[in-house]
Coordinates of all heavy atoms in Angstrom, one line a residue:
V13 N 101.9 88.0 33.3 CA 102.9 86.9 33.4 C 104.2 87.3 32.9 O 105.3 87.1 33.5 CB 102.3 85.6 32.8 CG1 103.4 84.5 32.8 CG2 101.1 85.1 33.5
P52 N 101.7 94.0 24.0 CA 101.4 92.6 23.7 C 102.5 92.0 22.9 O 102.4 91.8 21.7 CB 100.1 92.7 22.9 CG 100.2 94.1 22.3 CD 100.9 95.0 23.2
Q83 N 93.6 61.2 15.9 CA 93.9 61.6 17.3 C 94.8 62.8 17.4 O 94.7 63.7 18.2 CB 94.5 60.5 18.0 CG 93.6 59.3 18.3 CD 94.3 58.1 18.9 OE1 95.5 58.0 18.9 NE2 93.5 57.2 19.5
S87 N 94.0 66.6 19.2 CA 94.8 67.3 20.2 C 94.9 68.7 20.0 O 95.2 69.5 20.9 CB 96.2 66.6 20.3 OG 96.9 66.9 19.1
A117 N 92.8 107.0 39.1 CA 92.2 108.3 39.5 C 92.9 108.9 40.8 O 93.1 110.1 40.8 CB 90.7 108.0 39.8
E139 N 115.3 136.6 34.3 CA 116.1 136.2 33.2 C 117.6 136.5 33.4 O 118.5 135.8 32.9 CB 115.7 136.9 31.9 CG 114.3 136.4 31.4 CD 113.9 137.1 30.1 OE1 114.8 137.8 29.5 OE2 112.9 136.8 29.6
S158 N 114.7 121.7 23.5 CA 113.3 121.7 24.0 C 113.2 122.9 24.9 O 114.1 123.4 25.6 CB 113.0 120.5 24.7 OG 113.9 120.2 25.8
A167 N 106.2 125.6 47.6 CA 105.6 124.3 47.8 C 106.7 123.2 47.8 O 106.4 122.0 48.1 CB 104.5 124.0 46.8
Y182 N 111.2 123.5 39.0 CA 110.8 124.4 40.2 C 112.0 124.3 41.2 O 112.5 123.3 41.6 CB 109.5 123.8 40.8 CG 108.3 124.2 40.0 CD1 107.8 123.3 39.1 CD2 107.6 125.4 40.2 CE1 106.6 123.5 38.4 CE2 106.5 125.7 39.5 CZ 106.0 124.8 38.6 OH 104.9 125.1 37.8
K205 N 116.2 115.0 29.3 CA 116.8 114.5 28.0 C 116.5 113.0 27.9 O 116.3 112.5 26.8 CB 118.3 114.8 28.0 CG 118.9 114.4 26.7 CD 120.4 114.8 26.7 CE 121.1 114.5 25.4 NZ 122.5 114.9 25.3
R232 N 107.9 99.8 40.1 CA 107.8 101.3 40.1 C 108.8 101.9 41.1 O 109.4 103.0 40.8 CB 106.4 101.7 40.4 CG 106.0 103.1 40.0 CD 104.5 103.2 39.8 NE 103.8 103.0 41.0 CZ 103.3 104.0 41.7 NH1 103.5 105.3 41.3 NH2 102.6 103.8 42.8
T237 N 114.4 104.5 42.0 CA 115.7 104.4 42.5 C 116.8 104.5 41.4 O 117.7 105.3 41.5 CB 115.8 103.1 43.3 OG1 114.9 103.1 44.4 CG2 117.3 102.9 43.8
R256 N 132.7 116.0 42.2 CA 131.8 115.1 42.7 C 131.4 115.3 44.1 O 130.2 115.2 44.5 CB 132.3 113.6 42.5 CG 132.5 113.2 41.1 CD 133.0 111.8 40.9 NE 133.3 111.5 39.5 CZ 133.6 110.2 39.1 NH1 133.6 109.2 40.0 NH2 133.8 110.0 37.9
R271 N 110.3 114.3 50.0 CA 109.3 113.6 50.7 C 107.9 114.1 50.4 O 107.6 115.3 50.3 CB 109.5 113.7 52.2 CG 108.5 112.9 53.0 CD 109.0 112.8 54.5 NE 110.2 112.0 54.6 CZ 110.8 111.8 55.8 NH1 110.4 112.3 56.9 NH2 112.0 111.1 55.8
L296 N 130.3 108.8 44.0 CA 131.8 109.1 44.2 C 132.6 108.0 43.5 O 133.8 108.2 43.2 CB 132.1 109.2 45.7 CG 131.6 110.5 46.4 CD1 131.9 110.4 47.9 CD2 132.3 111.7 45.8
I307 N 129.9 93.7 28.2 CA 129.5 92.5 27.5 C 128.6 91.7 28.4 O 127.5 91.2 28.0 CB 130.7 91.6 27.2 CG1 131.6 92.4 26.1 CG2 130.3 90.3 26.7 CD1 132.9 91.7 25.7
I314 N 119.8 90.9 27.0 CA 119.3 90.1 25.9 C 118.7 88.8 26.4 O 117.6 88.4 26.0 CB 120.5 89.8 24.9 CG1 121.0 91.1 24.3 CG2 120.0 88.8 23.9 CD1 122.2 90.9 23.4
Q361 N 85.3 68.2 13.6 CA 85.3 68.8 12.2 C 83.8 69.0 11.8 O 82.9 68.3 12.2 CB 86.0 67.9 11.2 CG 87.5 67.8 11.4 CD 88.1 67.0 10.3 OE1 87.5 66.7 9.3 NE2 89.4 66.8 10.5
K399 N 92.4 64.7 -9.4 CA 93.8 64.5 -9.1 C 94.3 63.1 -9.5 O 95.5 62.8 -9.5 CB 94.1 64.7 -7.6 CG 93.8 66.1 -7.1 CD 94.8 67.1 -7.7 CE 94.6 68.5 -7.1 NZ 95.5 69.5 -7.6
S417 N 79.6 65.6 3.2 CA 78.3 66.2 3.5 C 78.1 67.5 2.8 O 77.0 67.9 2.4 CB 78.1 66.4 5.0 OG 79.2 67.2 5.6

Side-chain angles (χ1 to χ4, degrees):
V13 172
Q83 290 177 343
S87 65
E139 293 183 1
S158 55
Y182 285 94
K205 185 177 181 179
R232 198 154 66 100
T237 299
R256 294 182 186 188
R271 183 169 294 180
L296 290 172
I307 294 175
I314 294 172
Q361 291 190 7
K399 296 291 184 179
S417 57

